Amino acid sequence: MTLISAAEPGVYQAAEGTVQSGAWLLVALPALGAAILLVGGRKTDKWGHWLGVVMSWAAFVWGALLFFSLLGADAEERAIHLHLFTWIQAGTFQLDAGLLVDQLSIAFVLLVTFVGSLIHVYSVAYMEHDPDRRRFFAYLNLFVASMLLLVLADSYLLMFVGWEGVGLASYLLIGFWNHNPAYATAAKKAFIVNRVGDVGLSLAIMAMFAAFGSVSFTDVFANADSASENKLTVIGLLLLVGACGKSAQFPLQSWLGDAMAGPTPVSALIHAATMVTAGVYLVVRSGPVYIGAPDAQLVVVIVGAITLVYGAIVGCAKDDIKKALAASTMSQIGYMMLAAGLGPVGAAFAIFHLLTHGFFKAGMFLGAGSVMHGMNDSVNMRTFGRLSGVMKITWVTFGLGWLAIIGFPLLSGFWSKDKIIEAAFIGEGWRPWVFGLTAMLAAGITAFYMSRLFFMTFQGKEKRWNDDAHPHESPALMTVPMMILAIGSAFLGLALGVTNGLVHWLEPVTGAHGEEEPVLSVPVITGATLVLVAVGVALAWRMYWQASVPVTAPRGSLLTRAARHDLFQDDINEGLFMRPGQYLTRALVFVDNRGVDGAVRGLAALIGGLGGRLRLLQTGLVRSYAASMLAGVVILLGGMLAVRL
Amino acid sequence: MDFPWLTVIGAVPLAGSAVIAALPKALAPRARHVALGVSLVAFVLTVVAALQFDTARAGEIQLTELHSWIGEFGVSYALGVNGIGLVMVALSTVLVPVCVLAAWNEVDEEKARLFYGLIMVLEAMMVGVFAARDLFLFYVFFEAILIPVYFLIGAFGGNEQRRRYAAVKFLSYSLTGGLIMLVGVIALYHAGPGGEQGFLIDQLTGLQFSSPAAERLMFISLFIAFAIKAPIWPVHTWLPDAAAEAPAGVAVLLVGVLDKIGTFGMLTLCLPLFPGASKWAAPTILALAVVSVLYGALLAIGQTDLKRLIAYTSISHFGFIVLGIFAMTSTGQAGSTLYMVNHGFSTAALFLVAGMLIHRRGSADIDEYGGLQRTTPVLAAGFLLAGLSSLALPGMSSFVSEFMVLTGTFIKYPAVAALATLGIVLAALYILLTYQRMFTGPVKEYSNGWKDLSTREVLVVAPLVVVILFLGVYPKPVLDVINPAISTTMQQVGVTDPEPTVAVEGENK
Amino acid sequence: MNQIHWLYLSVLLFSIGAVTVLVRKNAIVVFMGVELMLNAANLAFVTFSRINGNIDGQVIALFVMLVAAAEVVVGLAIIFTIFRTRRSASVDDANLLKY
């Protein structure tokens, strides 16, 4: 292995003929799968879904091999760079397409390919009766390829390709059933809101190029400390805009709830486990930029905190099981964002929570899909209740996910979320108190709304479903992935957290931090959090298990109604952007027709009118023509004589 | 002097048009076969010529030909291309066979000879205008090209009254621009060295003008012509009419290639001939370009006619191209040149798919469609791919060029670039809204019995999609040809790229 | 004899011709007026030729005569055609080129 950059001594060139030099296969395999399925068309209908599954697992196997090869290397040599080809070159702009396999990206690779492959398997059964199942798998493969490109890219611009690729896959999958107009609108909304974020990300990339003359991670991070704080703050904030779009963070969060229009496996994979966490990846990856821009970091933390609370509040009021889970996702990503904004103190925990969240949230979404599968695709939790008896596997696996997310001791969420809350309490002045307490309080709300969801669906006083629903357990192709994810939800946190293994693993990327102490002692934080969680669960137990749940939602308090309405986010967007935009468009169309084009047409009409008048001089009388000729000659001659005189 | 490649590339379609015109009436349906064959020959010749082109010296004019034409007036028959000209000639000869194939069944048999004959004449003119190295010759082609286009719109478009209106509007706009340009061309000749080869562009480059005002006036006269051609806000209103009324294949050539004459002229004539005036006018033009970007996109959102919509998206895209040219950075200008190529392909794909839709439905009104994704999935996929390319999705070729344009602008004018970047949101809106209105939703009755794309139609769209994807992943072959030409232009104008600011800060520390 | 008088004659002839063209309606008469003007011009040309002592004017006069002869042929043909179709030789009736 040879050193390629003196600036960042930890990056090595991949050696020929090793697993590492084939890292491009990670992207290429699922991309190939997608291409075959899309180009092959109906001919591949019979076996297409299995091809998708195989390609996804193949990527996982390769990722695992890569991981072990990294594991075998020394800690300083775990960042492998793979140069592919010269991509864009013009004037001073030089950019090679290359992959960067390091501790952070390999963690994502494993999460994406493993959870992704499980969801592929699940979808084989879930989409069995859909005539377009092949197309669905093509899109899923496309998503996996793009997501891997996103996390493996060695430059911001190449990452942006993956970034938009997952956006496209998300668009296609949300709108998979686009014969339903509402679903088509949801898909479009997701893409547009993401595009707003992309403006930020694009500008950030441009600003980086203007500042550093390069947009590769290596060059940007190597020079970040010599850039002025202003510059870094601007770049950091622009990156955050991009991250907000993709990760459904405040104020660009409005699309995620609607995105649940997609088939449930999509919600599990894209809108819970992987794609929506890309924003967190971006912020963590850009750590060196944020370290030099404390103001931008603060904004990241604030955005995370707002979304954390926002999602939690919305989650408390939703009756649609998928939308409640979506709100929860938003809220959990708020946790990650908050942690990522804290810098080296929290970044590793952000990734930790991201991984555990990937497991338990995907598991719960698959569980929700299983419930829908048994309940004629109904998503209204008010018509569920006491499903524990008829769907045992779903109940248990979902239950493990539920316990994990609320931070039940020793399960995954406990390890990762608690660490974030602790990290939020680190610092000086007002910040640790505000952010720490927010994070802690939100843990309580999380416990409440997740318990509400769980009790309304699986427990409760009575069953509320109609007689025409015949809830039944799903086939093994669906339950096995759920079980595997449930095991992950239970023990992943323990495996990665108990020795701080993941945190040490990520240290070369996220930066090491000293032994900063939280403003409260750790046992106090853990204790207080657990108490809040217990309160949340108890409250939910009393309201949704002990008491009977009305099938039609009661009107509720002002806050409930607001939360049910997503705190009026759509109305605000509509009032601020959509309607003025529509008026502007209409006005401009009018102006273009009447004003810009009208001016030209007016000129044409003027000339035409003038011609019409002058035409009348042509009387057709030969003698008058002759007279005018004579008069003209006389005037001309007279004029010439006059001038000579 | 070597083999006259460029003359031959232009002469082949011209000869083809003569053959088509001479076809007896009984053989009229064969006109399309002749046209396809001839345009393919021209394409192959272009490929061979491109192989003769020395990429390492792409900044210089190559494949040159020089003959005296009207010596008394200093007019020569001079052809030659640098990297920029070569890609434009290639773009023209690639798109013509595609358009011929696209129009295969859409022209009446009686009129087929006229249609394909005019298309062939048009191709010859396009090659000529991109290859001309004599300003007067350029002007001749610039004006002569109006003739075939005028008849193609006026005789083959949609509704008779509206297509005539559109054709006349196109002609009056273009002629106005052309005549204003003629004044500048003649003035420039008098400012130059004169003599038998006084109109050669090489002779007119790097002149010392008697006064800045004179230079500016000449610049403006040329720029107005190119701005109308491109078109730039506020002289854009002819394009939506012309593009909406022209048959799809003609609209492709009109928007995909002909309009590029405007931006091509700005880059290869305005800048090198009038470096001082270009720098003087750059801020104003950048403002116009940004207005075009946003205005075109907003208007596209408000359209109800599919072809008008595509025309307005092109106005937005031309804003980007002009932005990159007048940002005066090599990244921006190389991006603009690449944008011209990419826009040619993505707009061609959009117009052609739109043409297939309109051919089936018999209407260009977006609201008359809906639910087509279920009935004709391949057609829907074609439209979506073309649309995604138009909204510059990364992975598609247009992303590379749009990003280069924006970055090239950003390093000199961050605020301008930031405003133009808003265009990408609007682009997503106009494409996805249209896709939603036309292809999603419940299946409607009108589309019962619709056939998905035929083999011929797939053959039309597939090459474009392949090129779009290939250049998105690997634009190097084209950029390698463009870059040296751009650095020559940058030298002629006398501008350099700004250094990365952090490096500068580091030196000052 | 002072050659200027030939010019006066020429002016007189031209004026008579012009007035004929302007006031008469009959196409044949108008035509004659035109011929008169042409010949007035010829007279002037020849006179100038004598005054200047070269033959340019005479050459041109010959040309004019030639053109006038040709013109008579075409003009009379037109007049006859109009007369045949409209039964009138009045120039005022031949106003088809009116706006």
Side-chain angles (χ1 to χ4, degrees):
Chain A
M1 285 197 271
T2 47
L3 203 60
I4 55 155
S5 160
E8 198 166 17
V11 178
Y12 287 83
Q13 195 67 44
E16 285 287 319
T18 56
V19 182
Q20 294 156 357
S21 65
W24 58 274
L25 282 170
L26 279 173
V27 181
L29 285 174
L32 179 69
I36 292 175
L37 294 182
L38 287 175
V39 175
R42 293 257 167 242
K43 284 178 213 125
T44 59
D45 268 356
K46 271 206 182 114
W47 43 269
H49 46 285
W50 290 116
L51 179 78
V53 172
V54 167
M55 287 303 187
S56 182
W57 279 112
F60 170 71
V61 169
W62 202 276
L65 289 175
L66 255 180
F67 172 68
F68 288 123
S69 82
L70 289 190
L71 211 56
D74 291 338
E76 307 83 58
E77 296 180 1
R78 280 178 184 155
I80 309 294
H81 185 264
L82 179 68
H83 175 263
L84 295 178
F85 54 85
T86 306
W87 186 24
I88 302 176
Q89 179 187 25
T92 51
F93 193 96
Q94 299 265 351
L95 186 65
D96 291 347
L99 301 182
L100 175 67
V101 184
D102 67 355
Q103 294 89 338
L104 179 60
S105 54
I106 198 73
F108 264 89
V109 166
L110 291 178
L111 173 77
V112 172
T113 53
F114 186 65
V115 176
S117 301
L118 286 178
I119 290 171
H120 272 76
V121 174
Y122 177 95
S123 309
V124 172
Y126 188 86
M127 300 296 287
E128 195 172 0
H129 303 296
D130 196 295
D132 284 328
R133 178 163 65 166
R134 166 195 54 85
R135 200 156 53 83
F136 182 80
F137 275 86
Y139 294 163
L140 275 190
N141 266 215
L142 176 68
F143 168 76
V144 171
S146 311
M147 189 70 203
L148 291 175
L149 182 62
L150 194 166
V151 295
L152 285 170
D154 71 337
S155 67
Y156 279 98
L157 199 62
L158 191 61
M159 186 201 73
F160 191 54
V161 175
W163 186 269
E164 288 281 87
V166 292
L168 172 67
S170 159
Y171 167 78
L172 292 170
L173 285 165
I174 296 171
F176 189 71
W177 289 320
N178 61 22
H179 45 95
N180 179 336
Y183 292 5
T185 309
K188 185 195 67 197
K189 182 176 175 186
F191 197 95
I192 306 281
V193 176
N194 267 294
R195 271 259 145 165
V196 176
D198 292 344
V199 171
L201 185 53
S202 310
L203 286 175
I205 298 174
M206 291 172 214
M208 278 180 215
F209 177 70
F212 305 113
S214 167
V215 297
S216 78
F217 291 146
T218 329
D219 296 340
V220 172
F221 299 156
N223 297 316
D225 51 356
S226 50
S228 67
E229 193 185 320
N230 268 346
K231 214 154 256 155
L232 291 177
T233 307
V234 170
I235 295 175
L237 289 177
L238 288 170
L239 284 173
L240 177 65
V241 174
C244 282
K246 191 81 10 186
S247 287
Q249 298 292 293
F250 180 83
L252 297 177
Q253 80 287 25
S254 65
W255 62 273
L256 189 60
D258 293 352
M260 295 300 125
T264 310
V266 172
S267 313
L269 178 60
I270 301 185
H271 305 119
T274 54
M275 184 191 84
V276 283
T277 56
V280 181
Y281 169 80
L282 178 65
V283 174
V284 171
R285 176 59 86 192
S286 314
V289 172
Y290 281 102
I291 285 175
D295 291 344
Q297 275 187 318
L298 180 63
V299 178
V300 175
V301 175
I302 292 174
V303 164
I306 292 177
T307 319
L308 171 59
V309 176
Y310 172 91
I313 292 174
V314 171
C316 290
K318 289 284 178 190
D319 293 330
D320 178 328
I321 184 168
K322 286 181 74 183
K323 292 208 168 163
L325 282 173
S328 152
T329 304
M330 228 183 264
S331 168
Q332 296 298 313
I333 296 172
Y335 267 120
M336 301 170 206
M337 213 48 135
L338 189 153
L342 293 171
V345 185
F349 300 127
I351 300 301
F352 187 13
H353 193 53
L354 193 157
L355 295 178
T356 57
H357 174 259
F359 274 80
F360 57 67
K361 189 53 69 60
M364 282 192 284
F365 260 114
L366 294 190
S370 176
V371 170
M372 288 163 61
H373 198 70
M375 296 291 291
N376 296 340
D377 285 333
S378 165
V379 288
N380 187 354
M381 294 192 290
R382 291 189 179 275
T383 61
F384 295 167
R386 291 215 88 110
L387 285 172
S388 54
V390 280
M391 308 174 87
K392 285 229 161 53
I393 301 176
T394 309
W395 172 55
V396 172
T397 53
F398 202 105
L400 277 171
W402 162 62
L403 289 174
I405 194 174
I406 66 173
F408 192 80
L410 301 183
L411 294 186
S412 289
F414 171 75
W415 299 97
S416 50
K417 193 154 68 179
D418 223 47
K419 287 288 182 189
I420 293 180
I421 299 174
E422 280 168 33
F425 271 110
I426 294 174
E428 286 166 4
W430 55 273
R431 291 182 198 177
W433 294 104
V434 172
F435 298 130
L437 289 175
T438 311
M440 192 190 266
L441 188 70
I445 310 179
T446 307
F448 172 76
Y449 71 75
M450 285 311 297
S451 306
R452 169 180 180 271
L453 190 154
F454 187 68
F455 296 158
M456 276 174 91
T457 308
F458 292 101
Q459 315 292 357
K461 259 180 108 163
E462 73 282 284
K463 75 178 183 81
R464 296 183 297 274
W465 67 80
N466 294 333
D467 292 336
D468 57 342
H470 303 288
H472 54 85
E473 191 52 272
S474 304
L477 272 180
M478 285 167 71
T479 49
V480 171
M482 284 156 58
M483 287 188 258
I484 297 174
L485 288 173
I487 294 169
S489 319
F491 301 116
L492 188 68
L494 190 70
L496 298 176
V498 75
T499 57
N500 260 347
L502 180 74
V503 175
H504 289 308
W505 170 262
L506 289 175
E507 224 157 53
V509 182
T510 59
H513 64 96
E515 292 299 310
E516 298 94 339
E517 285 300 319
V519 289
L520 287 172
S521 73
V522 174
V524 174
I525 297 173
T526 312
T529 310
L530 284 178
V531 169
L532 278 170
V533 167
V535 169
V537 174
L539 213 60
W541 178 73
R542 219 173 60 91
M543 288 167 68
Y544 298 102
W545 192 339
Q546 290 301 304
S548 62
V549 180
V551 175
T552 44
R555 190 148 177 274
S557 67
L558 190 65
L559 184 63
T560 315
R561 269 178 285 150
R564 212 176 274 153
H565 213 75
D566 298 316
L567 300 183
F568 305 111
Q569 57 179 14
D570 286 335
D571 305 81
I572 292 168
N573 285 345
E574 227 170 77
L576 275 183
F577 304 108
M578 217 177 92
R579 289 196 190 287
Q582 282 173 341
Y583 288 131
L584 179 66
T585 307
R586 262 180 242 150
L588 278 181
V589 170
F590 183 79
V591 166
D592 200 54
N593 281 339
R594 297 294 162 82
V596 182
D597 205 23
V600 178
R601 277 200 299 249
L603 190 67
L606 184 75
I607 293 171
L610 211 63
R613 291 288 147 76
L614 286 175
R615 206 173 55 162
L616 298 180
L617 293 179
Q618 303 291 321
T619 53
L621 284 176
V622 179
R623 294 185 299 145
S624 73
Y625 295 169
S628 64
M629 274 159 76
L630 187 71
V633 171
V634 169
I635 290 169
L636 219 66
L637 285 176
M640 280 164 76
L641 279 172
V643 168
R644 209 169 54 184
L645 291 175
Chain B
M1 198 166 281
D2 304 323
F3 187 73
W5 284 107
L6 294 165
T7 303
V8 173
I9 295 173
V12 164
L14 210 55
S17 74
V19 170
I20 292 173
L23 280 180
K25 200 164 185 190
L27 286 178
R30 295 273 162 223
R32 53 192 188 184
H33 297 97
V34 177
L36 184 63
V38 167
S39 57
L40 282 175
V41 169
F43 169 64
V44 171
L45 283 171
T46 314
V47 172
V48 178
L51 292 177
Q52 313 284 315
F53 189 86
D54 183 358
T55 312
R57 297 187 298 119
E60 303 163 29
I61 306 295
Q62 299 181 40
L63 307 173
T64 49
E65 297 164 40
L66 178 60
H67 304 282
S68 182
W69 181 22
I70 316 175
E72 292 84 347
F73 298 149
V75 180
S76 329
Y77 176 80
L79 298 182
V81 285
N82 61 7
I84 305 170
L86 183 71
V87 294
M88 294 315 293
V89 170
L91 176 70
S92 320
T93 52
V94 171
L95 283 182
V96 171
V98 173
C99 292
V100 169
L101 202 57
W104 208 249
N105 293 331
E106 290 172 26
V107 185
D108 297 340
E109 270 185 16
E110 308 134 42
K111 285 166 126 190
R113 281 176 298 177
L114 180 60
F115 182 83
Y116 290 107
L118 286 173
I119 292 271
M120 292 294 99
V121 175
L122 178 58
E123 178 172 12
M125 301 285 172
M126 292 191 301
V127 173
V129 82
F130 289 127
R133 289 305 300 169
D134 180 283
L135 194 57
F136 192 84
L137 186 66
F138 175 86
Y139 176 78
V140 169
F141 282 125
F142 185 87
E143 293 286 50
I145 211 162
L146 304 180
I147 302 166
V149 179
Y150 171 77
F151 287 111
L152 281 170
I153 299 173
F156 294 95
N159 174 296
E160 180 160 345
Q161 202 187 344
R162 274 184 295 145
R163 76 184 188 221
R164 287 201 177 153
Y165 169 75
V168 169
K169 196 170 181 179
F170 160 79
L171 194 71
S172 351
Y173 264 92
S174 300
L175 270 182
T176 311
L179 290 176
I180 295 173
M181 176 175 158
L182 182 61
V183 177
V185 167
I186 294 169
L188 188 61
Y189 173 72
H190 285 291
E196 273 219 5
Q197 301 184 335
F199 269 114
L200 280 191
I201 292 170
D202 296 333
Q203 302 264 9
L204 298 171
T205 314
L207 294 180
Q208 292 295 323
F209 290 95
S210 55
S211 71
E215 186 191 359
R216 287 171 191 176
L217 282 175
M218 290 181 218
F219 169 84
I220 290 171
S221 84
L222 260 68
F223 181 79
I224 288 178
F226 295 143
I228 289 177
K229 202 83 175 178
I232 291 298
W233 185 88
V235 284
H236 63 275
T237 51
W238 65 269
L239 183 67
D241 283 317
E245 297 309 323
V250 177
V252 169
L253 295 179
L254 179 68
V255 181
V257 183
L258 271 177
D259 288 356
K260 305 285 164 32
I261 299 170
T263 46
F264 174 82
M266 289 179 202
L267 184 59
T268 57
L269 292 177
C270 279
L271 292 192
L273 295 180
F274 315 104
S278 302
K279 280 180 271 189
W280 162 75
T284 319
I285 295 171
L286 287 177
L288 287 178
V290 171
V291 171
S292 287
V293 167
L294 300 177
Y295 187 89
L298 281 170
L299 274 165
I301 296 170
Q303 295 305 313
T304 52
D305 181 297
L306 185 56
K307 280 157 102 186
R308 286 184 77 88
L309 182 142
I310 302 172
Y312 275 110
T313 68
S314 291
I315 292 170
S316 178
H317 290 148
F318 281 110
F320 276 112
I321 298 176
V322 174
L323 191 67
I325 292 174
F326 283 91
M328 307 276 186
T329 60
S330 47
T331 313
Q333 293 184 342
S336 286
T337 313
L338 187 61
Y339 209 132
M340 290 191 225
V341 177
N342 294 335
H343 174 262
F345 289 114
S346 63
T347 304
L350 260 185
F351 263 124
L352 292 177
V353 177
M356 294 167 192
L357 283 164
I358 294 166
H359 185 67
R360 283 173 171 73
R361 183 80 177 99
S363 161
D365 191 348
I366 294 171
D367 292 330
E368 296 209 2
Y369 293 81
L372 285 179
Q373 205 265 331
R374 288 261 145 162
T375 13
T376 51
V378 182
L379 185 59
F383 186 87
L384 189 63
L385 274 170
L388 291 175
S389 166
S390 179
L391 66 78
L393 189 87
M396 307 273 190
S397 56
S398 39
F399 166 71
V400 176
S401 42
E402 192 161 303
F403 190 81
M404 283 167 72
V405 165
L406 287 171
T407 306
T409 313
F410 191 93
I411 51 182
K412 266 198 179 163
Y413 309 94
V416 174
L419 270 177
T421 308
L422 292 180
I424 71 171
V425 179
L426 300 176
L429 259 175
Y430 59 64
I431 292 298
L432 295 185
L433 260 177
T434 313
Y435 184 78
Q436 189 188 354
R437 283 154 77 185
M438 298 182 69
F439 292 95
T440 72
V443 177
K444 291 189 186 169
E445 210 171 278
Y446 70 87
S447 58
N448 286 344
W450 274 32
K451 291 224 164 53
D452 212 336
L453 292 192
S454 67
T455 315
R456 173 184 66 83
E457 288 171 323
V458 170
L459 274 179
V460 169
V461 179
L464 298 175
V465 171
V466 169
V467 171
I468 288 169
L469 289 174
F470 176 77
L471 288 183
V473 177
Y474 199 63
K476 194 167 177 291
V478 179
L479 280 176
D480 278 349
V481 179
I482 295 173
N483 281 332
I486 294 298
S487 45
T488 310
T489 309
M490 293 278 288
Q491 279 167 15
Q492 285 167 339
V493 185
V495 284
T496 51
D497 289 324
E499 291 289 317
T501 49
V502 169
V504 176
E505 280 168 17
E507 276 165 24
N508 293 346
K509 267 181 191 168
Chain C
M1 186 170 157
N2 193 343
Q3 281 160 346
I4 199 81
H5 293 113
W6 295 113
L7 286 182
Y8 290 141
L9 178 61
S10 161
V11 168
L12 191 69
L13 285 173
F14 188 89
S15 304
I16 294 169
V19 170
T20 312
V21 169
L22 289 181
V23 300
R24 296 302 296 266
K25 284 186 183 170
N26 190 309
I28 302 289
V29 182
V30 168
F31 209 65
M32 283 163 65
V34 171
E35 289 303 308
L36 206 52
M37 286 196 287
L38 280 171
N39 282 318
N42 274 348
L43 185 58
F45 274 125
V46 173
T47 315
F48 284 130
S49 179
R50 284 290 297 273
I51 292 172
N52 294 331
N54 60 21
I55 58 166
D56 289 0
Q58 297 181 32
V59 171
I60 292 177
L62 276 171
F63 270 109
V64 172
M65 279 182 223
L66 205 74
V67 171
E71 187 216 323
V72 168
V73 174
V74 178
L76 279 177
I78 293 173
I79 292 167
F80 277 145
T81 317
I82 292 175
F83 184 76
R84 230 180 266 157
T85 52
R86 324 195 121 207
R87 291 279 133 211
S88 153
S90 165
V91 288
D92 287 1
D93 290 344
N95 61 357
L96 277 181
L97 283 178
K98 182 177 170 184
Y99 41 84

